[in-house]
Amino acid sequence: MLTEAEKNELLLAQHEMIERLVARISELESLVGTPRKTSRNSHIPPSKDDFGKRGGKGGKPKAGKRPRNCSRGRQLVG
């Protein structure tokens, strides 16, 4: 069982934590509508843009690689 002084101390600590959390929530809510920073809308270099870092296949083939040719030439008549 908590004493009155311990209860008051606990309530004060909870109140301070709630005030900090409310301030943080308001700060995050203000950031929701802002666009992501890219090289087009800020001073960061294009190499820091993460458009192509999602992985997976697709896009242009690597330089020097050619797609495999499935046709091997003319059909033999026999």
Side-chain angles (χ1 to χ4, degrees):
M1 206 66 164
L2 295 175
T3 65
E4 283 296 316
E6 292 173 333
K7 287 179 188 178
N8 289 339
E9 188 177 319
L10 181 62
L11 286 173
L12 184 61
Q14 288 177 341
H15 180 70
E16 290 171 357
M17 183 184 293
I18 289 171
E19 285 182 344
R20 284 194 312 265
L21 290 173
V22 167
R24 179 69 176 147
I25 288 171
S26 335
E27 178 186 338
L28 293 174
E29 284 176 342
S30 70
L31 295 175
V32 169
T34 59
R36 189 168 47 110
K37 287 190 176 187
T38 65
S39 61
R40 290 182 177 208
N41 64 7
S42 70
H43 68 280
I44 64 171
S47 62
K48 297 295 180 183
D49 288 342
D50 61 350
F51 297 124
K53 294 184 180 177
R54 290 198 170 83
K57 295 190 177 190
K60 295 193 306 186
K62 301 255 185 223
K65 301 256 181 173
R66 292 186 177 160
R68 185 174 174 191
N69 189 358
C70 293
S71 63
R72 298 283 182 205
R74 302 178 102 185
Q75 294 274 337
L76 295 177
V77 178

